[in-house]
Amino acid sequence: MNRVRAVLAALAMLALPALPAAAAPLERAALAADLCGDAAAQARGAEGVVRAAADASAEDLRAAGHLLAALAERRLACGSAGALLLDRAGAPDGQDALTGATRPAAEARAPVLGLRQRALVETARAAVALLTAESVAARAAGLTTLERRAGAVPDAVLERARDAESDPGLRASIAGAAQAAALSSADPEKRRTAVAAVAAAPSGASLARLRALRGEPAAASDPAFARALDAGIASVERAVRIGDGLAILYNALSFASILFMAAVGLAIIFGLMGVINLAQGEFIMLGAYATWGVQEAFRHVAPGLLDLYLIAAIPVAFGATALVGIAVEALVLRHLYRRPLMSLLATWAVSLFLVNLVRVAVGTQNLQFAMPPYVSGGVPLYADFVVTWNRLFAILFAAATLALTLVVLRRTPLGLDIRAVTQNRDMAACLGLPTRRIDRLAFGLGSGLAGLAGVALCPIYSVNPGMGSGFVIDAFMVVVLGGVGSLAGTLVAALGIGGANVLIEPLSGAVAAKVIVLVGIILFLQRRPEGLFAARRRR
């Protein structure tokens, strides 16, 4: 019987190292003694801090963090009277690690860390920083260190950090790290639960994380885990495909909104006057620079209201570019009607003049804009699909511009006059309409709408003197495809061209996408030269 008891006792002693160590209380005196000891004692002290971090008080963790930082930076001196914290390495005096009293450090020595001990100390410092650091950046740095050594961190530490974290982004990162640690857990039930948790928050990162588990021994040895893993991967793959599709549609809609904003003014000018206005892109640029001017005025006059500058810039940009358009029509274009080649060259000269004028007056560098909260950031909607506020602003702004333009053209005397002159200029003149004045006002309206496009572009694109040249060709394609002078055709063509560009660009590149779209428009116009919606004209 005694022999049996001895064998059982020996087996119990052999089984003890395989059991997880219980979290010991974090005692400063014991920690200071361990850090001043040999390599084994230093490792024991650092590992004890990590194990106790889930339950220790914030005060004890901060004290442990000071001791660990002093050890790593060689500011910890150990002597017969206890551990000292030095202000710098080699300082003559230091503070007692327990009482805070000042003592000389003449007889104390600085312990040396080995490579293994240094790694354990860095892990313990990272755990303390994640739980007690005041700045988000310091807590994020601690999480980054712990993610590299996830196997040495108890789940309870990450759970405590996740529950206490106030920053939403960092809280999500901590939750992801906790899930990653649970995926490699030795407990099969915990692994399956972690797979379900990762699949419940689908993204490209979670898909890569789950796919990486397929080659691990747990997937081959545990059929239940393998089934749960396959189901989770299939669910995340389906969600990621849906999210990617939503992102493509959202980007296509935002790009189409920008195209519509750039082309709607040109549609009015081209449809009414037959003028190929190559300066339309520069009117967009002037609207963006007017927005920057409003921002600078707010910055100097009313800095507390700076977030409102983008809203205040809408009437300013429209009025400024409309006045420039009226001046261009009165000084240049009114002498060149019925001479399309000369008007084309004249508007090209105007575009060059405006670009160089802005370069001389303001400079060639990209302008810096302060992004208000309503155009900054975004919200994750599904999988990797994020609704960004700047593109949503452009979409809503384009919709509002369309509505106001329809009201002007359908419900105002100016709109009635524009439609009459568009249908039959000579008959409108015979009825007493001042066609020259209507041309001037219509050119100002089209130029002002281009200025509004510049406002919408400020939160999305780089603003510089040459920014407008990239929109002229696309705007003309939209106008010609939609039908000259047709607002509905301009909208439909912008949606079609914008969607085609966004769909083709990932497959063939930006340049090839534009070429393919242009070839498609040419083939379409050969069958239907008047475009999608031909403007009604009377002869």
Side-chain angles (χ1 to χ4, degrees):
M1 181 62 67
N2 291 335
R3 183 175 298 179
V4 172
R5 290 178 179 176
V7 170
L8 292 175
L11 290 175
M13 293 298 294
L14 290 174
L16 283 177
L19 298 175
L26 188 55
E27 298 180 359
R28 302 182 196 181
L31 177 60
D34 285 338
L35 298 184
C36 287
D38 56 12
Q42 291 173 346
R44 182 175 63 249
E47 290 173 341
V49 171
V50 176
R51 287 195 301 270
D55 301 316
S57 66
E59 182 182 358
D60 287 343
L61 286 175
R62 291 190 184 95
H66 291 320
L67 285 171
L68 293 168
L71 176 62
E73 298 166 6
R74 297 189 62 81
R75 294 187 295 103
L76 182 67
C78 301
S80 57
L84 288 177
L85 298 176
L86 309 179
D87 292 335
R88 64 185 186 282
D93 298 322
Q95 290 183 334
D96 189 280
L98 300 180
T99 64
T102 302
R103 291 193 286 107
E107 299 180 356
R109 61 174 181 82
V112 179
L113 281 175
L115 292 179
R116 177 176 178 273
Q117 288 73 30
R118 182 171 295 278
L120 294 173
V121 168
E122 290 301 321
T123 302
R125 292 182 64 186
V128 171
L130 180 62
L131 292 170
T132 63
E134 295 182 358
S135 70
V136 176
R139 297 197 297 273
L143 177 63
T144 302
T145 300
L146 292 181
E147 285 178 330
R148 295 196 296 265
R149 302 161 184 152
V153 183
D155 297 341
V157 174
L158 295 176
E159 291 172 0
R160 175 182 176 180
R162 179 198 60 203
D163 296 338
E165 182 55 53
S166 58
D167 183 75
L170 184 55
R171 187 190 304 119
S173 299
I174 296 173
Q179 290 175 354
L183 287 173
S184 58
S185 172
D187 184 358
E189 182 62 29
K190 185 175 291 187
R191 286 201 304 268
R192 289 192 291 271
T193 303
V195 168
V198 172
S203 66
S206 61
L207 180 59
R209 187 180 300 166
L210 292 179
R211 283 175 173 171
L213 295 176
R214 275 180 167 167
E216 293 190 357
S221 60
D222 187 353
F225 176 70
R227 289 192 298 270
L229 182 60
D230 291 339
I233 291 175
S235 173
V236 174
E237 285 177 340
R238 182 169 57 253
V240 168
R241 284 196 297 270
I242 295 174
D244 291 343
L246 292 174
I248 290 174
L249 292 176
Y250 183 67
N251 292 335
L253 185 58
S254 64
F255 184 57
S257 301
I258 298 300
L259 282 183
F260 173 77
M261 295 283 292
V264 62
L266 186 61
I268 294 174
I269 294 171
F270 196 16
L272 175 69
M273 304 162 60
V275 173
I276 302 175
N277 182 22
L278 294 182
Q280 190 75 2
E282 279 57 50
F283 290 140
I284 296 174
M285 178 265 295
L286 290 180
Y289 272 79
T291 304
W292 178 77
V294 173
Q295 172 194 262
E296 295 304 302
F298 269 75
R299 195 187 301 275
H300 291 90
V301 176
L305 302 176
L306 185 60
D307 288 344
L308 300 178
Y309 82 89
L310 202 58
I311 306 300
I314 293 174
V316 175
F318 179 85
T321 51
L323 290 176
V324 173
I326 291 173
V328 169
E329 195 280 337
L331 298 176
V332 179
L333 291 178
R334 73 185 183 92
H335 304 289
L336 302 175
Y337 287 134
R338 303 184 188 277
R339 300 165 67 182
L341 180 60
M342 295 301 295
S343 64
L344 185 147
L345 294 176
T347 55
W348 183 37
V350 169
S351 72
L352 295 177
F353 171 76
L354 292 176
V355 169
N356 287 284
L357 178 64
V358 172
R359 284 175 177 169
V360 172
V362 183
T364 60
Q365 71 279 1
N366 291 335
L367 297 183
Q368 301 297 322
F369 286 88
M371 291 296 108
Y374 49 86
V375 293
S376 300
V379 56
L381 195 62
Y382 188 76
D384 289 330
F385 173 47
V386 178
V387 176
T388 53
W389 300 133
N390 57 350
R391 293 189 177 275
L392 184 61
F393 173 78
I395 294 170
L396 297 178
F397 193 41
T401 301
L402 172 62
L404 291 176
T405 305
L406 286 174
V407 169
V408 170
L409 293 179
R410 302 287 181 181
R411 303 296 181 185
T412 64
L414 174 61
L416 181 62
D417 293 345
I418 289 175
R419 287 187 288 130
V421 174
T422 301
Q423 290 182 14
N424 194 316
R425 174 180 293 273
D426 294 334
M427 183 59 69
C430 292
L431 294 175
L433 292 181
T435 55
R436 293 297 190 194
R437 177 173 173 272
I438 293 171
D439 287 340
R440 190 167 303 165
L441 292 177
F443 201 93
L445 175 62
S447 303
L449 291 174
L452 294 183
V455 178
L457 286 171
C458 289
I460 302 175
Y461 290 92
S462 299
V463 175
N464 55 63
M467 64 175 294
S469 60
F471 294 96
V472 174
I473 302 301
D474 290 334
F476 271 106
M477 287 195 298
V478 169
V479 171
V480 174
L481 178 62
V484 176
S486 172
L487 205 60
T490 302
L491 176 62
V492 174
L495 290 172
I497 293 177
N501 268 291
V502 172
L503 289 173
I504 299 173
E505 187 172 327
L507 303 176
S508 59
V511 176
K514 288 187 178 296
V515 172
I516 293 171
V517 171
L518 181 58
V519 170
I521 293 174
I522 293 173
L523 294 176
F524 177 82
L525 292 177
Q526 287 182 342
R527 300 296 302 271
R528 191 178 175 86
E530 67 274 13
L532 292 170
F533 298 86
R536 292 184 299 169
R537 296 181 182 273
R538 295 178 182 176
R539 297 184 179 178

